[in-house]
Structures are given as C-alpha cells and as structure tokens.
C-alpha cells in the first residue's frame, strides 16, 4: 500500500490529505503549530465555499461591498448586487483547523510535529525517510522520530523544507505584514460587510494595503516585494495613518508577518516529491490571492496521485506526478500571466494607481472582475465590453504618465463627526467630562496602560 507524507497543514496540505485518505491511502499530515494563523487577508471566493464544502460557521463576514481608495484618497464603491454572492472573510486559524480536522476524521494521521530533515534516497527517487520532532506530548523540544514513506507532498510554505530537499530552486518572495485591530462597536459596524483596499506609494510601492473585517476585529496590512523588505514597517505605518479615522480608538491584538512567493519555483516535481500551495509558488500577482489556489493545487495533486497509483496499489513515477503540473499550468497559467501584466501596468506609480481606481468605477469592469474572482472562470465579453475595456486600459496607461498626487490625508471617519475627530486628536477621548475627571496620578497610569496596549492610531 502506498505511503504518503504531506508536510504542512494549511489549506493545500489538508486538502491533499483529505483526497488521499478518502481513497484509502496511508497518509500522514505534519503541522508544527496546530493553532497557527498565517498572516493573511483571509478572503476566499464564493466558489470555494461550495467546491470545498465549507460550512458557513467558518466565515466571519460576507463582504458584498468594497472600497477602492486611490493615492489621493478618491474612493470608488463597488457593490455585489446579487444577494447570494459574497466574498468570504475567514480567520486562518479557523479555516485551517477545520480542513485539517476533516482530513483527520477521514483517516489521515495528523502529526503535531516539525520535519527537520529528509533523506531522499538514491537520485531523490525514494523511499523517503523523514526525521521530525513530535510535539504531541506537549514538551518544549519534542521527541525525535523517523518515518519512511514512498511519496511526499510539500505543502510547507515559502520556506519549504521539502523544496530544499528536492532541489526545487529558489524564488523571490514578497513580505506580508498585518495587524489585527479590535475596534469599538460603532467603527466595527461600519465594516459589517465592507472591505477596503488602499493603493499608493505610502502604503506599498508595488502592491496594495487592506482593511478586511473579521469576527470581532479588522485585519489591517500591506505587502511589498522582497527588494523593499526594509520598508515594510514604514508602509504599515502608512496604511494605519491613511485609515486612522476609520480605525478610531482601535487596539492592536496581534501582529503578523510572513513571506509569500512571487512566482512558481523552477521545479515543482522531483522524483516522487511534489510541491503545492505557497511551497510551489501559487500566489497571484496584482491581487495576492493564495488560499483558493493553495487548496485547489493540493486537491489536484492528490487526485493525480490517486489516479496514477490505482488508489494506492502502486507507487507513481515522477512522470506520473508531472501530469498534475501540466494540468495546473493549462488551467491557471493564463490567469497568473494576466494578473502579472495588470500589476506591472497599474502598480508602477501613483499616477497609474489613480487611473486604475478611476477605471474600477466602471460597472462592466466591476462585474467582469467579480465574476472572475468569485467563480474562478474566464468570463467572455461581448464586443462592446472588449472595446470599452481596451479603451479604459489605454486611457489609464496614458493618464498614468501624468504627475501623481503628492499629499496624503487620512480618509474621513465614516461614523464620527469632524468635531468628534478633532476632540479625539486633541485629548485622546471622545468624552470631555471623562478627561476632566481623571486625577493627574491616574492620568499617568492610564497613559502607561495605553502605551502598553499599543493603540493603533491618531497621534501615536
């Protein structure tokens, strides 16, 4: 019987393990931190909910409204008119935990362990011996163990140990930085079904920043390519300042950072080892989307293993596994190329970003964009739409040669009056009586508590 180790318990690894276990293949799924939450916007397309049979309980918010905010803080509102359509917002610890547990319930051996090294056998053809630290007993160092398998699925992210063992080659990575900020109920209500995307050199020279709503907080983050890694904290400060009035009195409850791939690795299958998800490099340009493609790649890889092995009766060859790569590239290769082209056109300077946000105000552009994102399908345009989109793109490119706005002022509060905002900026409170009533000694203690809590905004 075929023995498979899946290294990495995110969406790609869990979905691969689920398919393998359903087919009766002996499967081990390794994840070091079972409560881990990868820094991530957490947005999933509508089609993923049905395609991967996800319960509504793992979806924190159903976003039907989006604001695109330009460098000059021009706001374009985008709405989903169909009440049945939405973008799902999830916390990764909830989504990942659900997918892992489902794979375990189907028979996967879930190992709370860290793979430390892999003996790949002669010419990397296996069998493969994994040396790992097993933390299931709860100790700080783990118990060193080994496991021999016939095939490995590498789902262990941008710093993949499996990729190193198989000499998959390197890729450039981007850096994602995110803060989870808990808001007062008034501000949180504003983000009930709304997400915001900000563009501008101050928040990212080559990507975008976001404010995405979750269960009881918002995820506020940004990303940039590896060459600009040293700028990431300043860029995060930029999005906090731009959105400060909407994040009024927010409290940072968690800070997260993580590398994400910019493009696929040179080799994704070597011997009987295959890469999926971030380990393979399946994150899109322009949008930075990775969750759906991670889950889909894990499933497609596992389905090819099941088919080529006769449901585990034989060991697939390297040639067998490479069929998964051919199918993947045929299905999604064009999507990645188009999104890379869009990023190169519209994210190159602030003038181009202004033009891009202006272009997003067009209803046909919005509909085509949402259809492509929500359903992961190529949307056919009629001749008028094709002509219109071409003209809009050309116009955006031409206007992108103009001077970009240079001033950045925070966007206005959506729930507070200007007087309230001025009062808060001056006193740190919306309630003058509370400020007057605080004795001097208590005021010092209050300030110390505030600094320890790390307030998100306004004058800090």
């Amino acid at each position: 019987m075929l023995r498979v180790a899946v290294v990495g318990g995110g969406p790609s690894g869990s979905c691969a393990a689920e398919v393998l276990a359903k087919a009766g293949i002996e499967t081990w799924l390794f994840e070091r931190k079972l409560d881990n939450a990868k820094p991530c916007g957490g947005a999933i397309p509508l089609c993923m909910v049905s395609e991967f049979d996800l319960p509504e309980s793992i979806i924190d918010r159903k976003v039907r409204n989006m604001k695109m905010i330009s460098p000059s803080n021009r706001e374009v509102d985008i709405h989903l008119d169909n009440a049945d359509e939405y973008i799902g917002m999830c916390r990764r610890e909830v989504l990942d935990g659900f997918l892992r547990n489902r794979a375990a319930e189907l028979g996967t051996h879930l190992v709370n362990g860290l793979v430390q090294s892999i003996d790949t056998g002669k010419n990397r053809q296996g069998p493969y011996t994994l040396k790992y630290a097993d933390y299931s007993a709860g100790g700080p160092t783990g118990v060193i163990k080994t496991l021999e398998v016939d095939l490995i699925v590498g789902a262990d992210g941008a710093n993949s140990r499996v990729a190193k063992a198989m000499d998959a080659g390197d890729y450039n990575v981007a850096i994602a930085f995110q803060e989870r900020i808990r808001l007062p109920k008034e501000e949180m209500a504003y983000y009930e079904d709304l997400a915001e995307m900000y563009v501008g050199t101050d928040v990212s020279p080559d990507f975008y920043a976001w404010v995405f709503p979750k269960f009881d907080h918002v995820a506020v983050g940004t990303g940039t390519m590896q060459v600009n890694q040293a700028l990431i904290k300043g860029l995060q400060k930029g999005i906090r300042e731009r959105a400060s009035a909407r994040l009024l009195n927010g409290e940072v409850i968690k800070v997260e950072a993580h590398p994400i791939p910019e493009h696929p690795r040179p080799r994704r299958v070597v011997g009987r080892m295959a890469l999926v998800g971030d380990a393979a490099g399946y994150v899109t340009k322009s949008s930075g989307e990775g969750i759906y493609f991670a889950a889909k790649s894990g499933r497609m890889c596992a389905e090819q293993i099941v088919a080529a092995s006769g449901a585990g009766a034989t060991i697939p060859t390297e040639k067998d596994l490479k069929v998964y790569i051919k199918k993947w590239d045929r299905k999604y290769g064009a999507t990645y190329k188009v999104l890379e082209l869009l990023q190169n056109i519209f994210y190159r300077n602030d003038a181009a970003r202004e033009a891009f946000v202006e272009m997003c105000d067009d209803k046909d552009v919005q509909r085509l964009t949402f259809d492509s994102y929500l359903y992961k399908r190529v949307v056919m345009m009629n001749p008028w739409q094709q002509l219109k989109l071409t003209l809009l793109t050309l116009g955006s490119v031409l206007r992108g040669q103009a001077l970009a706005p240079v001033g950045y002022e925070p966007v206005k509060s959506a729930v507070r009056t200007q007087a309230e905002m001025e009062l808060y900026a001056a006193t740190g409170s919306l309630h003058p009586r509370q400020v007057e009533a605080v004795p001097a000694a208590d005021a010092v203690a209050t300030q110390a508590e505030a600094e320890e809590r790390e307030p998100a905004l306004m004058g800090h």
Side-chain angles (χ1 to χ4, degrees):
M1 174 61 71
L2 180 65
R3 302 164 298 170
V4 180
V6 181
V7 182
S12 58
S14 297
C15 290
E18 177 186 346
V19 171
L20 296 169
K22 275 184 178 178
I25 293 174
E26 194 80 359
T27 305
W28 288 263
L29 177 61
F30 290 85
E31 175 58 47
R32 167 63 186 99
K33 297 180 180 179
L34 298 179
D35 60 348
N36 190 40
K38 176 187 173 184
C40 175
I44 61 173
L46 181 62
C47 66
M48 185 173 177
V49 177
S50 56
E51 187 175 343
F52 289 86
D53 195 22
L54 301 178
E56 287 201 359
S57 60
I58 71 165
I59 299 172
D60 287 338
R61 304 274 177 170
K62 294 182 178 180
V63 167
R64 297 186 175 90
N65 300 286
M66 178 77 71
K67 280 188 183 291
M68 294 286 297
I69 302 175
S70 78
S72 65
N73 282 333
R74 172 183 177 173
E75 299 183 25
V76 168
D77 294 310
I78 304 173
H79 306 285
L80 280 170
D81 297 324
N82 188 335
D84 296 329
E85 293 180 330
Y86 62 86
I87 299 171
M89 292 292 172
C90 304
R91 285 164 290 166
R92 283 294 300 271
E93 60 268 33
V94 176
L95 172 64
D96 293 12
F98 170 80
L99 293 173
R100 272 197 303 269
N101 292 337
R102 184 165 68 182
E105 290 168 1
L106 289 166
T108 298
H109 305 293
L110 181 56
V111 181
N112 180 11
L114 175 66
V115 174
Q116 298 180 337
S117 63
I118 303 171
D119 183 342
T120 61
K122 186 176 180 180
N123 298 323
R124 297 194 173 90
Q125 298 299 310
Y128 305 97
T129 302
L130 286 74
K131 177 183 175 183
Y132 65 98
D134 187 335
Y135 291 90
S136 58
T141 58
V143 178
I144 301 302
K145 297 182 179 180
T146 60
L147 175 70
E148 183 177 283
V149 295
D150 306 302
L151 190 151
I152 298 176
V153 176
D156 46 342
N159 297 319
S160 171
R161 278 190 168 89
V162 177
K164 290 180 175 65
M166 62 190 275
D167 189 27
D170 292 328
Y171 52 24
N172 295 327
V173 297
I175 304 300
F177 190 98
Q178 178 174 276
E179 294 169 300
R180 299 192 190 197
I181 299 178
R182 183 175 290 127
L183 300 179
K185 63 179 181 180
E186 293 88 350
E187 279 71 23
M188 198 66 218
Y190 168 69
Y191 289 106
E192 175 67 29
D193 62 353
L194 171 72
E196 294 179 330
M197 293 174 59
Y198 291 74
V199 292
T201 304
D202 61 329
V203 298
S204 179
D206 41 31
F207 200 54
Y208 66 87
W210 60 87
V211 180
F212 287 173
K214 300 302 177 73
F215 175 66
D216 61 351
H217 62 276
V218 289
V220 181
T222 184
T224 188
M225 302 310 175
Q226 191 172 30
V227 67
N228 297 311
Q229 179 176 346
L231 303 177
I232 192 66
K233 289 188 177 180
L235 298 174
Q236 181 68 11
K237 181 180 179 182
I239 178 57
R240 282 170 49 160
E241 290 177 351
R242 288 273 297 278
S244 59
R246 290 181 178 168
L247 306 177
L248 183 66
N249 208 24
E251 178 185 352
V252 176
I253 58 176
K254 192 170 186 178
V255 179
E256 307 163 310
H258 201 274
I260 55 175
E262 292 185 31
H263 55 80
R265 289 191 190 271
R267 293 171 292 282
R268 288 166 280 165
V269 170
V270 174
R272 295 172 176 85
M273 298 176 283
L275 299 177
V276 295
D278 280 13
Y282 295 148
V283 175
T284 62
K285 295 274 190 171
S286 185
S287 66
E289 184 186 1
I291 299 176
Y292 174 82
F293 293 111
K296 187 69 173 180
S297 64
R299 175 176 284 186
M300 287 179 66
C301 179
E303 287 173 344
Q304 177 58 27
I305 293 170
V306 171
S309 69
T314 61
I315 301 176
T317 65
E318 180 174 327
K319 183 178 179 181
D320 291 331
L321 292 181
K322 285 184 175 178
V323 173
Y324 136 68
I325 299 295
K326 292 177 181 177
K327 289 180 178 179
W328 176 268
D329 290 344
R330 187 164 57 245
K331 188 175 182 67
Y332 296 114
T335 298
Y336 282 80
K337 290 294 184 183
V338 168
L339 290 174
E340 182 176 5
L341 177 63
L342 289 176
Q343 180 165 322
N344 291 338
I345 292 174
F346 292 118
Y347 288 0
R348 70 187 189 279
N349 57 45
D350 277 353
R353 295 181 185 101
E354 285 286 342
F356 172 60
V357 173
E358 178 186 346
M359 180 173 150
C360 290
D361 205 12
D362 182 83
K363 296 301 180 185
D364 282 335
V365 171
Q366 293 178 15
R367 187 68 256 174
L368 291 169
T369 300
F370 269 122
D371 280 349
S372 298
Y373 174 78
L374 292 176
Y375 303 109
K376 292 295 173 283
R377 66 191 182 198
V378 177
V379 180
M380 300 304 295
M381 294 182 288
N382 60 46
W384 162 242
Q385 287 177 317
Q386 289 179 324
L387 176 61
K388 182 180 180 182
L389 186 58
T390 300
L391 292 174
L392 284 171
T393 303
L394 288 173
S396 296
V397 171
L398 291 173
R399 287 193 299 281
Q401 304 305 316
L403 290 175
V406 294
Y408 298 101
E409 296 294 333
V411 293
K412 294 181 179 180
S413 172
V415 296
R416 302 290 182 180
T417 66
Q418 185 61 31
E420 286 179 308
M421 295 306 300
E422 291 173 358
L423 175 63
Y424 186 86
T427 67
S429 172
L430 293 168
H431 309 288
R433 291 180 182 175
Q434 292 180 4
V435 175
E436 294 169 2
V438 176
D442 291 344
V444 173
T446 301
Q447 177 64 23
E449 291 172 2
E451 291 174 355
E452 184 177 296
R453 191 177 68 238
E454 192 182 356
L457 17 108
M458 295 293 292
H460 295 278

